[in-house]
Amino acid sequence: MKQLNIATWNISCGIPAQWSISNGIKKENDYHKFGLLDEVIQKIKEEDIDIIGLQEAVAFRNAEPSFAQIIAENTDLKYYVEFEVSDCHLLENAKIEEVILSKYPILHSKNVMFENMNLSNIGKDGKTYHLFDDGFIMADIQVNRSFVIKFVTGHAPAFQVFGKLPEDYDFVYKKLEKELERAMKENSKIFVVGDYNTEKLLEMLPFIEQNFKNYIEGKTYFEGTAIDYILAEKNIKNLSNKKIENKSDHLLCIANFEI
């Protein structure tokens, strides 16, 4: 038997900001001064995380290293995959990424975009803000010589930011459900983490509710909502779980499993 320490963390582009589209968003020029990325590296080490899914990580349009590269260079999570999904709303000259970092080799990965419903609002600053593009990564990770797991991390569209209910757009989430149905036929253990911007993910996706359990309970976001998940197939043994306050507007969520 092997233990895996799995985590999910929306790291807010390295910017500890509680923003709203209605008020307008001011982009920062420098994430270094906030220390959030340093905290990410520190917590990964302290908690001995084996595999983590990051949402709202950052890649830059110049030659500056991405957050994924910096984390890999400063922790034991040497293997990583990145998926650029949208322009960064909090940081200049940057794009938002979904990222998986792992102590174990990532054999291959697949990037999937959610459908963008093209919602928009005008902020008090007079700017028009559009619903961000979002998606998820599915990766096969070789945790030992003979055993491969499938690890999924994603970020779903923030319909609530535009005054909409996520459950009114449940068809958008079905893409995740269909990919997991297909993955389960491959007979590998599956873990799904991420910020899915709804408290009703399992209610909206019956196949996932039937086959998976969420191991992170209670609020995970500064507004008091539970929108971050660590899902594992019900036949996988969970040993422990925790949530950790930090500089981001989302909690760091960790769950330990025996496989």
Side-chain angles (χ1 to χ4, degrees), residues 96 146-147:
I96 288 178
S146 59
F147 195 70

Side-chain angles (χ1 to χ4, degrees), residues 114-249:
F114 287 116
E115 183 180 358
N116 190 318
M117 302 309 297
N118 298 313
L119 304 177
S120 63
N121 272 344
I122 299 175
K124 290 180 180 178
D125 56 2
K127 295 179 182 178
T128 300
Y129 294 91
H130 299 273
L131 183 66
F132 308 140
D133 288 325
D134 279 303
F136 56 96
I137 307 172
M138 306 183 71
D140 290 336
I141 300 176
Q142 183 123 34
V143 296
N144 61 34
R145 288 184 180 179
S146 59
F147 195 70
V148 175
I149 67 163
K150 191 171 292 291
F151 188 90
V152 181
T153 191
H155 190 279
F159 295 113
Q160 69 277 19
V161 172
F162 293 86
K164 306 294 184 180
L165 295 174
E167 50 267 35
D168 290 340
Y169 297 90
D170 58 349
F171 57 91
V172 171
Y173 291 84
K174 290 293 183 181
K175 187 168 285 188
L176 174 64
E177 186 172 56
K178 288 179 181 178
E179 289 290 345
L180 291 177
E181 284 188 64
R182 188 178 297 116
M184 285 193 74
K185 296 176 182 178
E186 298 176 12
N187 200 31
S188 59
K189 293 189 182 294
I190 303 172
F191 299 89
V192 183
V193 311
D195 169 8
Y196 291 99
N197 269 309
T198 177
E199 295 187 295
K200 298 183 178 181
L201 182 68
L202 297 182
E203 294 177 40
M204 290 192 292
L205 303 176
F207 176 83
I208 296 179
E209 185 174 39
Q210 179 181 354
N211 291 281
F212 290 80
K213 181 178 178 180
N214 180 31
Y215 289 96
I216 299 299
E217 297 181 352
K219 71 173 186 177
T220 62
Y221 185 49
F222 83 97
E223 291 182 342
T225 50
I227 59 177
D228 300 271
Y229 293 81
I230 295 181
L231 305 172
E233 291 176 85
K234 290 181 177 178
N235 61 353
I236 300 175
K237 185 177 180 180
N238 175 248
L239 301 175
S240 65
N241 15 174
K242 66 167 72 172
K243 298 181 294 184
I244 299 174
E245 296 273 356
N246 61 88
K247 295 178 187 293
S248 175
D249 52 2

Side-chain angles (χ1 to χ4, degrees), residues 83-138:
F83 179 23
E84 292 186 10
V85 292
S86 65
D87 183 63
C88 186
H89 56 300
L90 296 177
L91 193 59
E92 295 283 4
N93 196 36
K95 299 203 72 168
I96 288 178
E97 293 192 318
E98 314 307 326
V99 170
I100 296 173
L101 291 121
S102 170
K103 288 182 180 178
Y104 308 104
I106 298 173
L107 303 180
H108 54 80
S109 63
K110 177 181 181 180
N111 298 334
V112 182
M113 292 295 295
F114 287 116
E115 183 180 358
N116 190 318
M117 302 309 297
N118 298 313
L119 304 177
S120 63
N121 272 344
I122 299 175
K124 290 180 180 178
D125 56 2
K127 295 179 182 178
T128 300
Y129 294 91
H130 299 273
L131 183 66
F132 308 140
D133 288 325
D134 279 303
F136 56 96
I137 307 172
M138 306 183 71

